[in-house]
Amino acid sequence: MIASATLPMDDDGPAHRFAVTPAVEAVVLGVAIAIAVTSYFIITGSDAPQRLIPPPLVALLLVANLVPGIALLMLLGRRVAMRRAARSPVGGGGRLHVRLVALFSIVAAVPMLLVTIFASLLFQYGVQFWYSDQARGMLENATGLAQSSYARQLNRWQEATVTMASDMSAYLRERSLQSPDFSGWFLQQVYFRSLSEAALFKLSPQQGIQTLAIVNPYEIDFTRRVTPSAIAELRSGKSAVVAVTGDRIQTITMLPGSDELFLYAGRVEDTKSLSEQTTRANDVLKSYRSLLARARSLQLQFNAALLLISLLIVGIAVWIALAVADRLVRPVGELVDAARRVAAGDLTARVPDPRSRDEVGTLANAFNQMTGQLEAQNTELVTANGQLESRRALIEAVMAGVSAGVVATGRERTITIANDSATTLLGTDTGGLVGRRLVDVAPELDAMLDGGDREAIVEVGQGSEVRTLAVRIARPATGPILTFDDITQQLLDQRRAAWSDVARRIAHEIKNPLTPIQLAAERLQRRYGGKIEAQDGTFSRLTDTIIRQVGDLRRMVDEFSSFARMPKPVFREESLVDAARQALFLHEVAHPAISFQLVQDDPGLTLVCDRRQIGQALTNIVKNAVEAIETRGEPGGSVTMTLTSDANTVGIAVADTGIGLPAERDRIVEPYVTTRARGTGLGLAIVKKIIEEHCGTIGFSDRPGGGTLVTMTFDAKALAALDQGASASELAGEGRLDTMTRNRT
């Protein structure tokens, strides 16, 4: 007996929806049986069993039987779904199973019903034409036309032969067969009537067939075509006898007014094609008539197949829905259990790895990731303070080793981060900078933030403690960051280099004429000194004055020459990597939009050099690269410094993506030559002098893809010979002096 089943209750009371009960299922089953019986009587009660049933009626019967059949399948699937749901630990009264069965059934049934109706109607309307009187008449007419065409073709040559026989009979009444022009006239008759061959013969019981005239280009034996039956038909009164042999249409007729003279005529034609067409037409008509007898049977078979296939599709959909519901409920149950464990505080709860990567599997993975992240975040929260302190210590350690000052500000320009170099350069007390307002520490730097400049030269301090700082400003969302370096000595070096060049030029211009002036005065004194009276000392005083003033000028030129010389480099073995890194750091912090990169083959690469001068040269080159990128006016850009070495040389290459080299690139290392409005033209001149004093060469070229490539090459072997070693104070500062003293002892 069918158990009672109703829709589940809602939380607020009974669901105000239609409840499926066993009575409803019984009604659906009864309706399905009643419709099936009614359809049977409608189909078998027709007076013309060989005619098609109207297509709309058949489609209506098909849908009427299909709808209750689909309903029965859905109800059956619902029962199975509820029984499976009752065994599931998830609960819910089997709603998911029932909904999936209903959903899959509707999704399969609605388009399937539409397709079934259209397929039935299209098939029946399409077939109805071929079973109509028009189609039958068309096929019968086509067959008749084929037969008529074949008969007309035979009749044509029969008439041509009979007409020729009448003309010959008229000719023989006026003339005899022995007439000299009979042969030509006979040939013309054959030609004009488009015959392939012809023969006039006489038939007698004693002598048989006697040929009187013949046109036979194909050399056939026409006597074999003259049969006693054909002669008998002609003598019985038939006008002509037509026969088809192979590809020939052959006609035999009797000359009018004679019982013994006969005419044979033949025509070569494609009789095989004509015969086959007639045969095919007859076969088609016969098959069509046989099909008419099975018209209704085919119609019912097709619609019955549609009905069975449609029900099979719905049945498969219900089975798939049950399988999918089982597959969904199983991982959902696992998720429910794991969720309850997490709600109880067990963050280690996980669901088994899903066997499929569908939405439910994705949900399971997401749940596992969520619980894993919750567990990890809980652990991270415990160690967060320690990590923050470690990071702060690391940042302070890194910033402490940087020679450039770094100051980060927050709200109201309060200093949040400052390294030791910034404290030293700004000359503050031991209280430090963090927590103080920038305007109280360095008003000059605070005033820079009011403008839009990204970099400037600022003097800070008072009296003898004035320092010149090269300041660069980055403006992130958290607050401005200032990086600055003490360029007081650099400016002094630049001014000294400028004055050195001026002094060298003055010395060169003045020193050249001094020697001939002195020589001329001395020669005048030697040659004319004895000829002038002793009482007259004017000549002697004047020449002495010239010689003395020339000496004074020479001493002044020597002083200019001494001033023009740059400080002599102090060569020691230095870390070239550290010098390059420090040259990049100041610009890297001040220009976050530009990418700075240091490429090195040997992390411990060293070079015998004056570190201050090499650092000054690298800083000038990187500064020029940054300014070239900013002049281009496009965001981004990169500066790449590459350090290379081999057995005898050390190379430094600086590549940028700026505007490139000017047209007069050969003069850019000359003093006072610059392409910028605010440039002094001494930077590259100083760089060139430093490189040359370090046994090196410098070159400028275009970077592939745009920009500039500066290459510096040093003779490492020659520099090694200039190594002066470290001073005692430097060794003591590095903690090595005591060790050397103990070794000597």
Side-chain angles (χ1 to χ4, degrees), residues 595-617:
S595 173
F596 294 84
Q597 185 178 8
L598 177 62
V599 180
Q600 53 193 1
D601 294 335
D602 181 9
L605 180 62
T606 60
L607 180 69
V608 175
C609 64
D610 187 320
R611 177 163 180 164
R612 185 187 63 81
Q613 293 188 5
I614 289 295
Q616 178 184 356

Side-chain angles (χ1 to χ4, degrees), residues 313-485:
I313 292 174
V314 175
I316 293 174
V318 171
W319 178 79
I320 293 175
L322 292 172
V324 171
D326 291 340
R327 186 176 180 182
L328 288 177
V329 168
R330 182 170 52 255
V332 168
E334 296 172 351
L335 283 170
V336 170
D337 180 66
R340 289 170 180 169
R341 292 172 56 192
V342 172
D346 183 8
L347 297 180
T348 61
R350 301 290 188 274
V351 296
D353 291 335
R355 292 184 292 273
S356 61
R357 300 301 177 186
D358 54 8
E359 287 77 0
V360 177
T362 303
L363 176 61
N365 289 330
F367 181 85
N368 288 337
Q369 292 176 2
M370 179 191 69
T371 54
Q373 289 176 359
L374 288 175
E375 184 180 6
Q377 289 173 0
N378 188 47
T379 304
E380 290 174 357
L381 288 175
V382 177
T383 58
N385 292 332
Q387 292 179 352
L388 289 177
E389 292 298 328
S390 300
R391 291 177 182 175
R392 180 179 293 275
L394 176 62
I395 294 175
E396 291 178 354
V398 172
M399 294 180 61
V402 177
S403 61
V406 180
V407 172
T409 61
R411 299 180 58 185
E412 298 181 357
R413 298 181 184 175
T414 301
I415 299 175
T416 57
I417 299 176
N419 63 348
D420 294 339
S421 298
T423 303
T424 303
L425 293 176
L426 296 180
T428 58
D429 53 19
T430 57
L433 298 176
V434 177
R436 303 174 61 181
R437 297 182 61 190
L438 183 63
V439 67
D440 299 332
V441 176
E444 299 85 357
L445 298 180
D446 184 77
M448 281 188 60
L449 298 180
D450 295 332
D453 296 337
R454 297 180 57 186
E455 58 182 51
I457 305 298
V458 178
E459 292 185 353
V460 297
Q462 295 179 353
S464 59
E465 297 297 329
V466 175
R467 295 175 182 270
T468 303
L469 303 180
V471 185
R472 289 171 175 80
I473 303 175
R475 301 179 185 270
T478 56
I481 299 177
L482 295 88
T483 59
F484 45 87
D485 202 355

Side-chain angles (χ1 to χ4, degrees), residues 1-327:
M1 182 176 180
I2 301 176
S4 175
T6 60
L7 288 176
M9 305 285 286
D10 293 336
D11 294 338
D12 298 333
H16 299 287
R17 290 178 290 182
F18 179 75
V20 179
T21 63
V24 173
E25 296 175 346
V27 169
V28 173
L29 178 60
V31 170
I33 296 173
I35 292 176
V37 173
T38 303
S39 301
Y40 173 77
F41 284 111
I42 291 175
I43 293 172
T44 58
S46 176
D47 296 334
Q50 293 185 351
R51 297 186 62 86
L52 292 175
I53 303 174
L57 178 59
V58 175
L60 179 61
L61 294 176
L62 178 63
V63 174
N65 286 272
L66 191 58
V67 170
I70 293 175
L72 287 175
L73 289 175
M74 293 176 63
L75 291 174
L76 178 61
R78 177 180 175 277
R79 278 187 169 274
V80 176
M82 294 185 66
R83 290 182 179 179
R84 292 187 178 183
R87 298 191 297 267
S88 174
V90 178
R95 289 185 180 182
L96 180 60
H97 284 77
V98 173
R99 288 174 182 174
L100 284 176
V101 169
L103 178 63
F104 275 69
S105 301
I106 293 173
V107 169
V110 172
M112 181 269 301
L113 276 173
L114 296 176
V115 171
T116 301
I117 294 172
F118 282 108
S120 177
L121 292 176
L122 289 176
F123 172 78
Q124 292 181 92
Y125 278 116
V127 171
Q128 189 178 33
F129 169 77
W130 296 105
Y131 289 108
S132 63
D133 295 336
Q134 294 88 345
R136 182 172 62 254
M138 181 182 65
L139 292 175
E140 290 177 352
N141 291 336
T143 304
L145 286 175
Q147 295 174 350
S148 176
S149 175
Y150 184 69
R152 282 198 303 270
Q153 192 74 1
L154 298 179
N155 188 52
R156 173 188 174 187
W157 301 115
Q158 177 181 343
E159 291 178 355
T161 305
V162 172
T163 304
M164 182 177 174
S166 299
D167 293 343
M168 290 185 66
S169 177
Y171 180 86
L172 292 177
R173 284 197 297 269
E174 297 177 0
R175 303 180 186 179
S176 64
L177 292 174
Q178 287 76 23
S179 176
D181 57 349
F182 175 76
S183 299
W185 181 86
F186 183 77
L187 181 61
Q188 289 179 358
Q189 288 291 320
V190 175
Y191 176 75
F192 290 153
R193 300 181 190 280
S194 301
L195 296 173
S196 301
E197 58 209 20
L200 179 64
F201 63 92
K202 182 179 181 181
L203 182 63
S204 61
Q206 296 80 13
Q207 298 180 354
I209 298 175
Q210 299 179 10
T211 303
L212 304 178
I214 188 172
V215 175
N216 190 12
Y218 296 100
E219 298 182 356
I220 66 170
D221 185 8
F222 75 92
T223 59
R224 298 177 58 185
R225 297 336 186 240
V226 180
T227 61
S229 59
I231 298 301
E233 290 180 11
L234 292 175
R235 287 180 174 174
S236 64
K238 192 174 182 178
S239 61
V241 176
V242 180
V244 178
T245 305
D247 59 349
R248 280 180 168 77
I249 300 176
Q250 302 165 349
T251 306
I252 304 175
T253 185
M254 182 184 296
L255 268 64
S258 175
D259 294 336
E260 299 179 351
L261 294 178
F262 297 87
L263 177 63
Y264 164 84
R267 170 68 183 179
V268 178
E269 287 285 345
D270 187 8
T271 58
K272 182 178 180 181
S273 176
L274 293 174
S275 178
E276 289 179 352
Q277 291 178 2
T278 303
T279 303
R280 284 197 299 269
N282 291 328
D283 293 341
V284 169
L285 183 59
K286 183 179 179 181
S287 300
Y288 177 73
R289 289 172 178 170
S290 175
L291 187 62
L292 285 177
R294 299 185 297 115
R296 176 172 294 192
S297 175
L298 293 175
Q299 183 185 25
L300 296 177
Q301 289 176 7
F302 175 78
N303 286 276
L306 282 179
L307 176 63
L308 293 177
I309 292 175
S310 300
L311 293 176
L312 178 62
I313 292 174
V314 175
I316 293 174
V318 171
W319 178 79
I320 293 175
L322 292 172
V324 171
D326 291 340
R327 186 176 180 182

Side-chain angles (χ1 to χ4, degrees), residues 560-691:
F560 271 109
S561 298
S562 299
F563 177 76
R565 298 189 186 97
M566 288 185 62
K568 187 176 181 181
V570 178
F571 293 98
R572 296 187 179 93
E573 186 175 4
E574 303 285 354
S575 173
L576 188 60
V577 176
D578 291 343
R581 186 178 291 112
Q582 290 183 6
L584 291 174
F585 178 78
L586 178 62
H587 300 280
E588 183 176 4
V589 175
H591 302 86
I594 300 176
S595 173
F596 294 84
Q597 185 178 8
L598 177 62
V599 180
Q600 53 193 1
D601 294 335
D602 181 9
L605 180 62
T606 60
L607 180 69
V608 175
C609 64
D610 187 320
R611 177 163 180 164
R612 185 187 63 81
Q613 293 188 5
I614 289 295
Q616 178 184 356
L618 296 179
T619 301
N620 282 340
I621 292 174
V622 174
K623 179 177 179 294
N624 288 341
V626 172
E627 292 175 348
I629 294 174
E630 293 178 342
T631 304
R632 190 182 59 180
E634 298 180 0
S638 64
V639 177
T640 304
M641 182 180 294
T642 305
L643 307 181
T644 59
S645 64
D646 55 24
N648 297 319
T649 61
V650 173
I652 305 176
V654 180
D656 65 74
T657 59
I659 59 174
L661 295 170
E664 56 272 16
R665 62 183 62 186
D666 295 333
R667 299 184 60 241
I668 59 177
V669 295
E670 297 180 6
Y672 305 105
V673 175
T674 180
T675 59
R676 292 184 291 275
R678 299 175 59 185
T680 62
L682 292 175
L684 290 179
I686 295 174
V687 171
K688 183 174 184 296
K689 186 171 183 62
I690 292 174
I691 299 302

